[in-house]
């Protein structure tokens, strides 16, 4: 059992396991804190600044982002003070200034009481620079197909030299984690296309599932994942089976466990 | 041929970046050649050596000529002036009076207290022997004989505070890094000086690199580190070169490497070159940059003294802070704490630039009135213009108005005035400076240099520049000031790193002291300083104009017409508001409106 930490969020006494963030603790207690760059599977980066909260109690009073702040014994968290709401609304207005037609952003802004932005720039860009796609591609998949280019106001997500990326394996994780739909993925027939900002970034041919005959994943992706998952020598998967069929299939237990009783070291 | 009495000849030529740019190396060569020619080299073994910046860059190349212990200083020396100096002064014994430094050189130096810069301008920065002869590395060898806690106590008692901006007490930082758990710890030196108009750190490394190395050795011993890094910007080639040479020399003398100073301690320093991003001067961005990642700040609510470079406890100090350490160990905490004001101890180096007579590097005790620095050491404002404000702390600092000129210069008073110590840049502005334009300049700097990770800094500062642009273009409305203040508050509250949280400072401080200028721009559509082109026009006062045609001849747009000895007229449609006629008119006939 992990050690439980006691803290107060909006006057409510909460216990959360050690090491969790204030944002996670609030979510578990059913308290809503808006955020755009946070994603469960990724390390928090704290860049959208929407999840700011006011902290006091066991630390010096300050404003911090709740996705990075870890829970601490005796911490007093306020998520909806006047100052926080004011700052959060202005940040949403700033984001809307560049992405005025982004539906997801408009929804979130509406929830926070922002109807229009005073900072319209004339741009229409759904990307809000949260960096989820870059993080998932780099930290989770390890393909490094997406990266940041430029800095400051001109910062944006791109592939190397903004060309069709040779590192992209067509897994589609970037589209999966994108909070605003700025990156889109489309499977049509045996073709997969990944679009960012209307441009095709990558085009892949899909492999057929041997069981159900459905097209399900690009070859490059399947090979990549096998290399990552089946590092121990002598083990190779030859079947091309889609995840759904795999779940239905009953596999016999391996006759010989290669390395002792435990799982493979790479797992 | 010289006289027969024994002569000791030492010629010290300023060879900091300022001196080199003014031709310092050529002057050295000329002196060597001239001494050879006069046969002095063979008989007296004269020493012609390069020294670091002594601060008064406006008068470069400065040369000290020391004959038999008597020193005279020459200003604006060029290779052509070398032959007369050698023949008249060194051979003839009579200094060349017309090229000697004037009174202002002495006024510039009299009010200063040179501690960190004491050796700059005296010793050859490329010679470890000269540094040792001047008492160098004595403090390090003394410190290695002391216990780490003893050193930390001395630093704490001295009251030394970080010279890079925040002013955090150095001793406390060292202590928390020493107490942090972990075997591997790092000491880091921040030489990524990026503020516009600041060159203190560059001058220290160029003039006395060994002081920084010695400080880091002492710090490493106190903290328990075996590896140090100096993060220095690649735009400082001379400083990098001298630091690299100094490190090699220190290794040869076994001051760095294995078993330094004959003790059991190992310590070495590596140089890491910064690729020219302002944000890399921020502590966490500096560390990610050393880790070979993109130099972007990390939002970690853990002190870098606990988890810094590669997740290990790291102690980061500025160049000037490190350079202060040896003399504190050498002369004691009590001596150091006796200098400066109540809560700010020691001296601080400022780089005095902008609309000021004596541009250069000055070192003054903390707590000295701002007026003394600008009007005594700095020699006041050129062309008898009015002083308007001084900007301290670089783009993160604020503007201090004339009403606060008697304020003592220390951490507390500067932050009270809405500015900050920063690394020590001091940009002086006169009556012809538009404060809206100045804050626009600094904010644009932050837009260009910010990393772009977090929303408030990336979008917010950009929006502030947009609003300021509208104001200077005459499109400002009463809403603009309110919006600026709202944005400034949010950016300050929510940005990820110190660059973001301090980016709105120039606007906040100018709104505090020069609100009337903003209002003049917005409501009267008039730029009082005559800088913002859309809000300024020039006209010629017919009564004062003598018809000298100077303005008409210099006008690049051909907008000025008029007969000789008759009053001239500016065609407002053609005028591009370049100010040339205004600056050039000898009769004050060109006026701004």
């Amino acid at each position: 059992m992990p050690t439980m930490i006691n803290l107060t969020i909006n006057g409510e006494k909460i216990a959360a396991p050690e090491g969790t963030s204030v944002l996670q603790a609030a979510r578990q207690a059913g308290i809503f804190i808006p955020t755009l760059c946070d994603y469960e599977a990724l390390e928090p980066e704290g860049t959208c600044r929407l999840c700011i909260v006011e902290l006091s109690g066991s630390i010096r009073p300050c404003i911090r982002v709740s996705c990075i702040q870890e829970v601490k014994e005796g911490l007093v968290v306020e998520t909806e003070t006047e100052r926080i709401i004011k700052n959060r609304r202005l940040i949403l207005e700033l984001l809307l200034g560049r992405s005025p037609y982004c539906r997801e952003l408009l929804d979130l802004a509406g929830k926070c009481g922002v109807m229009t932005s005073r900072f319209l720039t004339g741009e229409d860009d759904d990307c809000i620079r949260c960096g989820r796609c870059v993080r998932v591609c780099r930290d989770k998949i390890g393909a490094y197909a997406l990266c940041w280019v430029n800095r400051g106001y001109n910062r944006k997500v791109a592939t190397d030299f903004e060309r069709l990326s040779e590192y992209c394996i067509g897994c589609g994780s970037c589209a999966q984690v994108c909070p605003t739909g700025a990156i889109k993925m489309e499977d049509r027939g045996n073709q997969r296309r990944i679009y960012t900002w209307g441009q095709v970034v990558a085009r892949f041919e899909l492999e057929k599932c041997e069981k159900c005959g459905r097209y399900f994943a690009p070859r490059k992706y399947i090979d990549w994942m096998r290399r990552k998952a089946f590092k121990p020598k002598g083990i190779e998967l030859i079947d091309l089976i889609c995840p759904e069929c795999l779940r239905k299939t009953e596999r016999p237990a391996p006759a010989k466990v290669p390395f002792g009783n435990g799982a493979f070291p790479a797992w | 041929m010289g006289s027969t009495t024994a002569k000791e000849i030492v010629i010290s030529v300023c060879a900091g970046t300022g001196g080199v740019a003014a031709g310092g190396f050529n002057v050295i060569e000329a002196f060597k050649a001239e001494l050879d020619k006069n046969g002095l080299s063979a008989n007296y073994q004269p020493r012609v050596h390069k020294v670091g910046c002594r601060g008064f860059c406006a008068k470069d190349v400065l040369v000290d000529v020391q004959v038999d212990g008597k020193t005279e200083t020459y200003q604006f020396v060029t290779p052509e002036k070398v032959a007369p100096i050698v023949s008249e002064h060194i051979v003839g014994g009579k200094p060349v009076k017309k090229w000697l430094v004037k009174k202002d050189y002495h006024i510039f130096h009299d009010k200063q207290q040179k501690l960190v810069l004491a050796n700059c301008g005296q010793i050859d920065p490329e010679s470890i022997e000269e540094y040792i002869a001047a008492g160098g590395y004595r403090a390090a060898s003394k410190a290695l004989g002391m216990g780490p806690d003893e050193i930390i106590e001395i630093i704490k008692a001295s009251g030394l505070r970080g010279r890079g901006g925040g002013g955090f007490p150095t001793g406390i930082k060292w202590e928390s890094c020493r107490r942090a758990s972990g075997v591997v710890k790092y000491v880091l030196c921040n030489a990524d000086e990026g503020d516009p108009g600041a060159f203190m750190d560059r001058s220290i490394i160029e003039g006395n690199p060994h002081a920084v190395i010695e400080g880091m050795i002492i710090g490493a011993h106190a903290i328990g580190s075996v590896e140090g890094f100096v993060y220095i910007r690649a735009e400082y080639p001379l400083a990098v070169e001298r630091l690299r040479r100094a490190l090699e020399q220190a290794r040869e003398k076994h001051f760095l490497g294995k078993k330094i100073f004959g003790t059991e301690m190992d310590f070495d320093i590596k140089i890491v070159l910064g690729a020219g991003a302002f944000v890399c001067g921020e502590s966490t961005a500096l560390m990610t940059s050393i880790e070979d990642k993109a130099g972007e700040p990390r939002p970690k609510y853990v002190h870098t003294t606990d988890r810094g470079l590669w997740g290990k406890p790291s102690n980061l100090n500025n160049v000037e802070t490190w350079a202060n350490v040896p003399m504190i160990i050498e002369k004691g905490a009590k001596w150091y704490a006796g200098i400066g004001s109540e809560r700010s101890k020691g001296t601080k180096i400022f780089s005095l630039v902008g609309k000021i007579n004596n541009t250069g590097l000055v070192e003054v005790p903390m707590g000295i009135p701002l007026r003394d620095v600008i009007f005594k050491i700095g020699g006041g404002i050129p062309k008898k213009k009015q002083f308007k404000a001084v900007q301290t702390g670089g783009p993160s600092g604020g503007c201090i108005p004339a009403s606060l000129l008697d304020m003592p210069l220390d951490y507390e008073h500067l932050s009270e005035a809405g500015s900050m110590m920063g690394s020590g840049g001091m940009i002086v502005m006169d009556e012809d400076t538009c404060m809206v334009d100045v804050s626009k300049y600094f904010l644009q700097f932050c837009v260009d240099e910010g990393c772009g990770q977090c929303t408030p800094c990336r979008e917010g500062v950009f929006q502030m520049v947009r609003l300021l642009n509208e104001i200077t273009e005459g499109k400002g409305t009463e809403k603009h000031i309110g919006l600026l203040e709202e944005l400034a508050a949010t950016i300050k509250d929510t940005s990820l790193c110190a660059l973001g949280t301090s980016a709105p400072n120039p606007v906040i401080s100018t709104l505090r002291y020069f609100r009337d200028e903003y209002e003049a721009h917005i409501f009267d559509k008039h730029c009082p300083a005559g800088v913002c082109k859309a809000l300024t026009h020039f006209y010629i006062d017919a009564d004062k104009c003598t018809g000298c045609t100077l303005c008409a001849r210099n006008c690049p747009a051909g907008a000025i017409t008029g007969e000789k000895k008759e009053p001239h007229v500016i065609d407002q449609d053609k005028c591009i508001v370049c100010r040339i006629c205004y600056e050039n008119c000898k009769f004050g006939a060109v006026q701004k409106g």
Side-chain angles (χ1 to χ4, degrees):
Chain A
M1 262 301 273
T3 331
M4 294 305 269
I5 307 281
N6 298 305
L7 70 159
T8 319
I9 303 182
N10 293 352
E12 211 175 306
K13 290 213 181 314
I14 285 165
E18 192 178 11
T20 52
S21 68
V22 170
L23 181 66
Q24 284 167 332
R27 271 190 193 144
Q28 277 156 19
I31 296 166
F32 169 71
I33 300 176
T35 172
L36 284 168
C37 70
D38 184 72
Y39 191 79
E40 283 177 321
L42 300 171
E43 280 286 303
E45 216 164 46
T47 55
C48 77
R49 315 306 281 179
L50 280 176
C51 67
I52 42 168
V53 290
E54 258 187 85
L55 302 173
S56 58
S58 53
I59 63 169
R60 216 169 47 175
C62 59
I63 289 183
R64 284 181 176 178
V65 285
S66 56
C67 61
I68 288 175
Q69 176 66 45
E70 284 184 8
V71 291
K72 226 175 156 185
E73 194 65 44
L75 197 65
V76 178
V77 184
E78 286 293 335
T79 68
E80 300 281 316
T81 63
E82 203 182 316
R83 194 166 158 204
I84 291 293
I85 290 174
K86 213 177 143 205
N87 286 333
R88 201 177 276 156
R89 284 183 180 165
L90 198 75
I91 293 171
L92 279 163
E93 275 193 68
L94 287 169
L95 285 171
L96 277 174
R98 287 178 100 172
S99 322
Y101 307 114
C102 173
R103 205 158 32 127
E104 290 78 1
L105 190 59
L106 282 165
D107 282 352
L108 190 65
K111 257 190 206 171
C112 298
V114 177
M115 291 304 147
T116 51
S117 170
R118 291 168 289 175
F119 305 107
L120 295 176
T121 55
E123 280 177 62
D124 176 16
D125 183 353
D126 277 353
C127 177
I128 49 143
R129 277 96 177 139
C130 67
R132 279 189 192 178
C133 49
V134 177
R135 278 181 282 157
V136 78
C137 189
R138 180 187 65 196
D139 302 341
K140 293 294 163 195
I141 305 297
Y144 289 83
L146 289 173
C147 59
W148 289 111
V149 293
N150 300 338
R151 68 180 177 209
Y153 187 75
N154 299 322
R155 182 179 169 99
K156 63 174 180 182
V157 176
T159 51
D160 291 354
F161 305 107
E162 297 185 48
R163 291 193 194 154
L164 206 65
S165 174
E166 58 185 285
Y167 299 120
C168 180
I169 54 166
C171 67
S173 305
C174 49
Q176 179 74 36
V177 298
C178 181
T180 63
I183 301 181
K184 286 189 183 70
M185 188 175 78
E186 200 180 74
D187 287 354
R188 198 180 286 170
N190 65 342
Q191 288 282 320
R192 167 174 288 186
R193 290 172 181 192
I194 299 172
Y195 302 89
T196 51
W197 307 278
Q199 275 178 310
V200 180
V201 160
R203 219 175 279 197
F204 292 93
E205 218 160 276
L206 297 173
E207 298 290 329
K208 231 182 205 170
C209 173
E210 284 172 0
K211 287 244 155 117
C212 65
R214 198 172 63 93
Y215 289 108
F216 75 103
R219 183 89 227 176
K220 216 171 166 185
Y221 167 56
I222 296 168
D223 288 347
W224 179 274
M225 280 307 154
R226 282 186 181 164
R227 262 206 309 282
K228 277 194 105 167
F230 300 100
K231 264 186 193 153
K233 257 189 215 161
I235 294 190
E236 207 178 321
L237 284 188
I238 335 157
D239 305 346
L240 277 178
I241 302 173
C242 74
E244 267 108 273
C245 294
L246 197 63
R247 238 167 264 141
K248 286 180 211 153
T249 319
E250 252 185 58
R251 283 185 173 273
K256 237 169 81 186
V257 180
F259 302 102
N261 296 324
F264 298 153
W267 285 5
Chain B
M1 271 292 152
S3 59
T4 47
T5 51
K7 269 192 187 176
E8 193 209 342
I9 302 165
V10 184
I11 293 162
S12 314
V13 182
C14 180
T17 292
V20 173
F25 287 153
N26 297 341
V27 172
I28 292 176
E29 290 311 312
F31 264 110
K32 281 184 181 157
E34 200 57 37
L35 290 169
D36 282 344
K37 218 167 92 188
N38 281 287
L40 293 164
S41 300
N43 298 340
Y44 307 112
Q45 282 145 8
R47 226 148 47 88
V48 182
H49 68 168
K50 45 182 173 296
V51 295
C53 179
R54 64 193 84 198
F56 210 165
C57 301
K59 306 277 181 196
D60 269 329
V61 178
L62 286 157
V63 177
D64 279 341
V65 176
Q66 190 184 340
V67 182
D68 290 338
K70 210 165 159 277
T71 310
E72 297 284 356
T73 308
Y74 291 95
Q75 61 184 14
F76 299 123
V77 180
T78 54
E80 294 79 52
K81 291 181 180 174
V82 169
I85 291 174
V86 171
S87 61
E88 286 178 39
H89 185 171
I90 300 174
V91 180
K94 273 188 200 150
V96 190
K97 278 241 165 73
K98 59 180 172 182
W99 294 334
L100 284 179
V101 288
K102 304 288 176 307
K103 223 169 104 189
D104 54 355
Y105 183 82
H106 299 292
I107 297 171
F108 181 77
H109 285 284
D110 281 350
K111 275 259 166 190
Q112 293 193 50
Q113 186 173 10
K114 293 212 172 188
L115 299 176
V116 177
L117 293 178
N119 280 331
C120 294
Q122 302 300 321
I123 63 165
D124 185 346
E126 294 179 12
S127 154
I128 193 169
E129 283 78 18
E130 286 196 25
Y131 181 66
I132 295 171
Y137 286 110
R138 228 165 32 201
S141 117
K142 182 179 167 187
L144 291 191
M146 297 195 285
D149 293 319
E150 202 182 335
I151 299 174
I152 290 173
E153 278 315 309
I154 293 175
I155 300 294
K156 270 163 88 179
S158 74
L160 176 65
R161 291 170 65 176
R163 297 289 194 253
F168 192 81
T170 307
I172 294 177
K173 198 190 242 181
W174 286 18
E175 192 174 39
S176 49
C177 193
R178 174 166 178 74
R179 286 196 186 148
S181 57
V183 182
V184 180
K185 289 174 187 178
Y186 297 106
V187 287
L188 310 172
C189 172
N190 186 347
D192 190 60
E193 186 178 47
D195 291 2
F199 49 95
M200 295 74 51
D201 297 347
R202 191 195 71 205
S203 297
I204 293 173
I205 293 185
E206 278 174 7
N208 196 6
H210 287 289
V212 181
I213 297 171
E214 192 178 357
M216 287 180 77
I217 293 172
I218 297 167
H221 176 53
I223 290 155
S225 161
V226 295
E227 200 171 6
F229 292 91
V230 178
Y231 189 86
I232 184 167
R233 38 189 334 215
E235 291 96 324
Y236 284 175
L238 189 64
V240 173
E241 168 62 29
R242 290 197 176 150
L243 184 64
R244 191 164 279 155
R245 198 172 290 201
L247 288 173
E248 271 164 31
Q249 289 169 343
R251 274 184 212 121
E252 272 166 31
K253 296 256 179 214
H254 298 289
F255 296 162
L256 286 176
K258 298 254 175 240
K259 298 197 167 55
I260 58 172
F261 291 93
T263 63
E264 286 303 301
M265 181 183 160
D266 298 342
F267 180 62
D268 209 339
I269 298 173
K270 286 192 185 120
I271 295 178
V272 181
L273 291 186
F278 178 71
V279 71
C280 287
E282 199 272 345
S283 62
T284 54
L286 186 146
M287 289 173 200
T288 38
S289 181
I290 294 180
E291 291 169 8
D292 284 342
K293 296 177 190 147
E296 286 171 353
R298 285 187 287 223
K300 289 278 181 290
Y301 295 132
V302 181
H303 288 297
T304 50
T305 47
D306 288 324
R307 225 158 38 195
L309 188 59
W310 287 298
K312 304 283 188 288
S314 310
N315 183 80
L316 175 71
N317 281 123
N318 170 265
V319 171
E320 201 185 329
T321 319
W322 285 123
N324 265 296
V325 170
M327 61 186 169
I328 296 174
I329 299 295
E330 178 82 35
K331 297 184 182 168
K334 224 177 178 176
W335 165 80
Y336 194 82
I339 306 163
S341 67
E342 200 195 329
R343 284 175 61 199
S344 306
K345 301 297 183 196
T347 57
K348 174 80 191 91
I349 306 173
F350 290 100
S351 60
L352 214 49
V353 293
K355 303 284 177 61
I356 189 138
N357 277 318
N358 302 340
T359 302
L361 207 63
V362 302
E363 183 175 355
V364 290
M366 294 266 195
I368 187 176
L370 186 55
R371 188 184 293 279
D372 283 7
V373 175
I374 289 166
F375 288 96
K376 289 195 176 142
I377 298 170
I381 315 297
K383 296 185 190 165
K384 296 196 176 128
K385 294 221 166 126
Q386 278 292 313
F387 168 84
K388 188 176 209 172
V390 57
Q391 215 275 355
T392 65
S396 322
C399 295
I400 298 164
S403 59
L404 293 176
L405 263 176
D406 290 308
M407 178 184 83
L409 268 180
D410 57 23
Y411 291 102
E412 284 73 33
H413 284 92
L414 277 170
S415 57
E416 236 171 69
S419 183
M420 62 189 263
M421 183 70 85
S423 52
M426 210 177 247
I427 302 170
V428 182
M429 294 172 251
D430 68 5
E431 55 187 299
D432 285 341
T433 315
C434 169
M435 300 317 283
V436 185
D437 190 63
V438 163
S439 40
K440 193 176 83 184
Y441 167 79
F442 282 113
L443 259 66
Q444 184 62 51
F445 182 86
C446 289
V447 169
D448 294 341
E449 292 293 337
C451 69
Q453 276 190 99
C454 74
T455 317
C457 177
R458 182 186 66 233
E459 310 290 336
V461 181
F462 173 83
Q463 291 290 350
M464 286 181 84
V465 172
R466 229 165 69 115
L467 292 168
L468 288 169
N469 261 328
E470 284 175 8
I471 293 176
T472 55
E473 282 163 11
K475 296 174 197 152
T477 62
E478 62 265 41
K479 278 184 190 162
H480 277 64
I481 293 183
L483 269 182
L484 277 175
E485 282 174 326
E486 214 177 303
L487 280 167
T490 294
I491 296 168
K492 233 177 153 48
D493 268 356
T494 61
S495 285
L496 188 152
C497 78
L499 185 136
T501 52
S502 60
N505 278 354
V507 171
I508 295 174
S509 71
T510 48
L511 270 174
R512 181 166 159 194
Y513 299 117
F514 300 97
R515 207 185 183 90
D516 51 330
E517 272 194 41
Y518 282 83
E519 284 167 355
H521 279 78
I522 292 170
F523 301 115
D524 310 338
K525 304 290 174 207
H526 168 64
C527 175
V531 173
C532 303
K533 295 197 172 187
L535 301 177
T536 306
H537 71 277
F538 290 98
Y539 63 93
I540 294 174
D541 188 342
D543 294 339
K544 286 186 181 164
C545 182
T546 60
C548 71
T549 72
L550 184 69
C551 54
R553 275 182 280 137
N554 281 318
C555 181
I560 305 178
T561 48
E563 293 297 314
K564 239 181 209 172
K565 297 195 178 167
E566 294 288 328
H568 283 48
V569 183
I570 300 177
D571 182 349
Q572 299 297 338
D573 290 338
K574 285 188 187 166
C575 179
I576 55 165
V577 204
C578 67
R579 295 170 73 93
I580 290 179
C581 54
Y582 175 75
E583 305 275 348
N584 278 331
C585 183
K586 291 182 177 118
F587 310 98
V590 180
Q591 292 183 345
K592 58 185 182 218

